[in-house]
Amino acid sequence: MANQHVRYVLLAEFDIDKGASLKYQYPNETGTDEHVLSELMLPDGAHLRAEDWTIFCLNQTIPDLDNEQETKDEEKPLLYVLNLVRTKHDATARRGAHVKAMAICTRHQFLHIYKPVLLLAMEKYFEKPSPEVLESLYKAVNSMDLSRMPKFSWHERQILRTSDDKTMFEEMFADDPDKAMSPISATGSEVRWDEDDDETSRLRRGTFIDLASGREVLPTLGKDRRFFETKIEYEGIKLPIRVPLTVNDEEVGDFSLITLIRTFSPPASQPGSPNPHHPHLDSPGAYTHPIMLLLNALLTQKRIIFLGYGHPSGEVANYVLAACALGSGCGTVLRGFTERAFPYTNLTSVDDLLKCPGFIAGVTNPTYEEHTGWWDVLCNIDTGKITVSKDIELTCPGISNGYSYSPGDADGQPFTSLSIGRSSTVNTLSSSLSKVDDKNKDRDMDAEFMNDVMNAVQGHYGEAHIRAKFQDYMGRFVRLAALYEEEVYHQTKIAWSQDNDPTGLLGKGFVFPDGVSKQKELAAYASRIEGWRQTISYRYYQKGFASWKQSSSLQDLDVYRQISKLKTLKNIPENEVVAILEALLSSIGTDKAMIEVSSCYKRKLTAVI
């Protein structure tokens, strides 16, 4: 089938004699153990609810960091599974009810668009249980027409998702299928622009109406172009489908980052959990906000469990997916989280789970909480508390090798460092901090950031706005990590060079208001950066940065730095401002370059509003 949006359709039932059993796999077997599949499709406590949605993944593999040639198994790609569990009470049934689950397996991150058709198919199956229902569903979803759906570049997506203009890039929605962009890539790989002046390039240059002829080139103005509208026809019913076009890598499903933040944020009267927890997890101040502790755990590849005892498995899964977006900067900075995600899992799969480094898993069985050796960080959805395991490995890469970043202050004296021993108390910490006068105390950048985030959440800012803040935070983190590597190891593969700078005024690297701020931030993030440097996401970032820079049309200009200087620094010399503006002007010679610059500006603007 040419448009294979869905790879498999599955059907599982609960049998009072056999337990959970997988009854059908269409069009063929997935290759995953049937018992494992049936247990995932019929989660714990599903029979207590009339309906439950579950998300899990298939064909997950442990990344080989020593293999420089990154290979993708096209025969067994990573699949996202949307699973519907339905319980129908029936007095004639042996247990008084029939419990069935139907699932679709797809490579699409926007798997939530299939919910309406899955509901209809499940109802159809209850009326007439047969494999023909699965066949009909499979054919219906794969007949969905995405041939005219544009494929935005990375930069275009960032502009569109931060823009108030819903008709942005209207010209890419051509009615002529020969002029439309290719449908979404099944591999999720980035589409790059060629410099050739082909029809696609000309389509990108603007939307217009020919006033002389009165011909309207694009007759569908006014639609929300953040979505592509199509339909699925199932059993004679036409279901309207809106495919989101601004989804980044690592954003799977319709999770809510705001819900994650609200659930695990303490009351305003409580600043967070007293330090220390672990050198990779602590913020620089006396307390660590739970969301920052979770973010640090994601960054440094800790084993994370979301426990939702008594909660629907679909709710638990959404917390896991939100965490993947949180750690990756909403898919714009880092990657490698969703491939280690287990949105829903159970005790049947615990052995496979523990083989995966730095997993992010959702469970409903409270047994996991008792086994502290299975996880490093546990997030209890019911209580809203995040717990660091007493069995967490305390060795810290870099620090354990005898290295510690101890920069000097303005007078050349080392800053007071925080004890990271688990036996330390808050009183000891407070005493240590009291030796430093108020002027030279470390700023708690994490606390300031979370205050900004919480103000935005309480001010009812939207999901896109909150995601933009974490995107900017992660962007700052990786740039700070690049500077850290240059300062400590005198080399880095993740820094933007500024080779073409005849004036010597543009500079390179992170922007700080002054030298003291630079040293304090490096000291505050040193342990976390060292932890991140040992992770899968760091290795991916190294490879991705080289590829991204090579494909950029602005290889000789670090646009992010120049915009940051204009927005952050005060009293910039006039000649430096002129040099920045001239560099921007000389670099923007193509439409592609303009899009890249606009993308960076829009992201910076949205994050600071």
Side-chain angles (χ1 to χ4, degrees):
M1 187 173 290
N3 298 321
Q4 196 175 30
H5 308 308
V6 170
R7 287 293 185 96
Y8 308 101
V9 179
L10 311 175
L11 194 286
E13 295 179 342
F14 186 86
D15 185 279
I16 194 169
D17 298 317
K18 301 178 182 178
S21 60
L22 188 66
K23 191 164 186 178
Y24 298 120
Q25 302 180 70
Y26 187 88
N28 47 53
E29 295 184 355
T30 65
T32 301
D33 182 84
E34 291 188 6
H35 179 64
V36 172
L37 274 177
S38 62
E39 290 287 343
L40 290 173
M41 291 178 67
L42 295 164
D44 298 333
H47 64 283
L48 301 176
R49 286 174 284 274
E51 185 177 287
D52 191 8
W53 292 94
T54 310
I55 297 174
F56 57 92
C57 302
L58 294 182
N59 301 336
Q60 290 163 298
T61 58
I62 300 175
D64 183 5
L65 294 182
D66 297 323
N67 183 7
E68 293 299 323
Q69 297 297 324
E70 187 180 341
T71 59
K72 299 286 186 180
D73 188 346
E74 293 301 321
E75 293 299 319
K76 297 190 66 175
L78 177 64
L79 296 177
Y80 306 109
V81 183
L82 179 65
N83 179 63
L84 170 61
V85 188
R86 178 72 64 82
T87 301
K88 281 200 172 185
H89 295 281
D90 184 351
T92 64
R94 292 177 63 186
R95 292 191 63 191
H98 296 286
V99 183
K100 304 180 188 296
M102 187 179 292
I104 58 170
C105 311
T106 177
R107 299 179 75 168
H108 290 166
Q109 297 165 248
F110 44 83
L111 70 170
H112 56 283
I113 69 169
Y114 298 110
K115 283 186 176 182
V117 70
L118 199 52
L119 282 167
L120 290 178
M122 176 63 87
E123 193 65 34
K124 188 76 173 179
Y125 187 84
F126 267 102
E127 293 174 1
K128 185 181 178 181
S130 68
E132 285 73 23
V133 175
L134 278 68
E135 180 182 3
S136 176
L137 173 61
Y138 180 82
K139 291 180 178 178
V141 292
N142 283 316
S143 64
M144 178 174 61
D145 184 11
L146 298 183
S147 62
R148 300 185 183 185
M149 185 172 78
K151 172 64 176 174
F152 290 118
S153 72
W154 185 91
H155 294 285
E156 287 169 333
R157 285 203 306 271
Q158 308 323 306
I159 293 175
L160 189 56
R161 67 191 274 149
T162 57
S163 176
D164 293 329
D165 184 1
K166 296 180 181 180
T167 63
M168 187 75 69
F169 300 116
E170 181 81 38
E171 66 275 12
M172 294 177 64
F173 291 80
D175 289 332
D176 184 351
D178 293 332
K179 296 181 180 180
M181 296 295 290
S182 61
I184 188 166
S185 169
T187 62
S189 59
E190 188 67 74
V191 173
R192 302 293 181 187
W193 291 346
D194 296 323
E195 296 301 325
D196 298 335
D197 190 22
D198 57 11
E199 184 65 25
T200 298
S201 299
R202 288 195 293 274
L203 278 172
R204 290 180 179 273
R205 293 182 180 172
T207 304
F208 65 93
I209 296 177
D210 188 346
L211 297 177
S213 65
R215 181 174 65 89
E216 185 176 352
V217 177
L218 294 169
T220 56
L221 293 174
K223 290 187 177 182
D224 189 345
R225 291 315 191 181
R226 294 171 298 184
F227 299 89
F228 177 76
E229 297 180 2
T230 183
K231 66 179 184 295
I232 293 176
E233 186 168 348
Y234 176 72
E235 298 291 328
I237 301 174
K238 294 182 179 180
L239 299 170
I241 302 294
R242 300 179 80 213
V243 180
L245 298 177
T246 59
V247 175
N248 289 320
D249 294 339
E250 306 291 324
E251 292 182 319
V252 178
D254 54 351
F255 64 87
S256 169
L257 202 57
I258 292 177
T259 299
L260 174 72
I261 294 168
R262 287 186 184 276
T263 300
F264 295 103
S265 291
S269 58
Q270 299 177 11
S273 179
N275 292 332
H277 303 91
H278 185 280
H280 291 167
L281 304 181
D282 292 339
S283 290
Y287 296 87
T288 298
H289 192 285
I291 294 297
M292 293 310 305
L293 192 150
L294 173 60
L295 180 56
N296 294 334
L298 290 161
L299 267 175
T300 55
Q301 200 172 293
K302 299 296 181 281
R303 300 170 301 169
I304 301 171
I305 288 286
F306 283 87
L307 171 62
Y309 178 55
H311 289 252
S313 57
E315 179 185 339
V316 178
N318 279 331
Y319 280 101
V320 173
L321 297 175
C324 291
L326 182 77
S328 65
C330 297
T332 60
V333 183
L334 302 178
R335 66 186 181 95
F337 294 89
T338 53
E339 67 185 28
R340 292 181 284 114
F342 297 78
Y344 171 74
T345 190
N346 50 35
L347 289 175
T348 304
S349 306
V350 67
D351 291 336
D352 291 333
L353 178 69
L354 297 179
K355 293 176 184 177
C356 181
F359 60 76
I360 309 119
V363 302
T364 58
N365 194 319
T367 302
Y368 278 89
E369 189 170 18
E370 301 169 4
H371 290 79
T372 55
W374 290 357
W375 47 269
D376 299 317
V377 174
L378 184 137
C379 308
N380 192 313
I381 297 170
D382 198 40
T383 63
K385 293 182 179 180
I386 296 181
T387 305
V388 178
S389 172
K390 63 182 179 63
D391 299 316
I392 189 173
E393 178 61 55
L394 284 177
T395 57
C396 181
I399 292 178
S400 62
N401 293 332
Y403 169 79
S404 61
Y405 189 88
S406 181
D409 61 13
D411 299 322
Q413 299 298 320
F415 296 123
T416 302
S417 60
L418 301 182
S419 172
I420 60 175
R422 189 166 281 278
S423 61
S424 298
T425 64
V426 178
N427 291 334
T428 304
L429 181 64
S430 301
S431 175
S432 176
L433 285 174
S434 66
K435 298 177 182 178
V436 186
D437 60 55
D438 291 337
K439 181 179 178 181
N440 289 325
K441 276 185 181 179
D442 290 346
R443 285 177 54 206
D444 189 345
M445 289 78 67
D446 288 351
E448 293 176 6
F449 171 72
M450 283 310 304
N451 285 337
D452 182 41
V453 170
M454 294 309 300
N455 287 336
V457 170
Q458 292 163 7
H460 303 290
Y461 282 80
E463 179 77 11
H465 186 89
I466 303 303
R467 294 189 190 190
K469 288 186 177 297
F470 283 95
Q471 175 181 338
D472 187 64
Y473 180 92
M474 294 304 301
R476 291 183 73 257
F477 176 84
V478 296
R479 283 179 167 266
L480 193 64
L483 174 62
Y484 173 88
E485 289 186 330
E486 290 181 331
E487 294 270 326
V488 175
Y489 300 105
H490 309 296
Q491 62 177 355
T492 183
K493 295 181 180 179
I494 57 174
W496 196 281
S497 59
Q498 189 65 60
D499 300 326
N500 186 19
D501 183 13
T503 64
L505 298 173
L506 300 180
K508 66 175 184 177
F510 202 85
V511 176
F512 296 95
D514 52 62
V516 174
S517 298
K518 170 184 174 181
Q519 298 301 329
K520 287 187 175 183
E521 286 210 41
L522 286 174
Y525 285 94
S527 293
R528 283 174 280 180
I529 292 172
E530 284 289 350
W532 178 57
R533 293 182 70 248
Q534 315 303 317
T535 67
I536 294 169
S537 68
Y538 173 79
R539 195 73 65 89
Y540 279 156
Y541 186 76
Q542 277 188 321
K543 295 180 180 180
F545 184 84
S547 175
W548 179 72
K549 183 179 177 182
Q550 186 177 10
S551 66
S552 173
S553 61
L554 302 170
Q555 296 186 21
D556 296 328
L557 181 65
D558 185 352
V559 177
Y560 186 96
R561 172 181 169 81
Q562 307 314 321
I563 293 178
S564 295
K565 287 167 66 176
L566 294 174
K567 295 182 70 66
T568 305
L569 302 181
K570 299 179 180 179
N571 303 320
I572 305 177
E574 182 179 350
N575 63 333
E576 188 171 344
V577 174
V578 171
I580 293 173
L581 296 178
E582 288 181 345
L584 288 170
L585 185 62
S586 62
S587 298
I588 306 175
T590 64
D591 295 330
K592 180 183 176 183
M594 175 61 79
I595 290 290
E596 290 189 32
V597 172
S598 300
S599 153
C600 183
Y601 178 76
K602 288 288 292 184
R603 283 181 287 127
K604 286 291 293 178
L605 181 63
T606 303
V608 299
I609 291 178

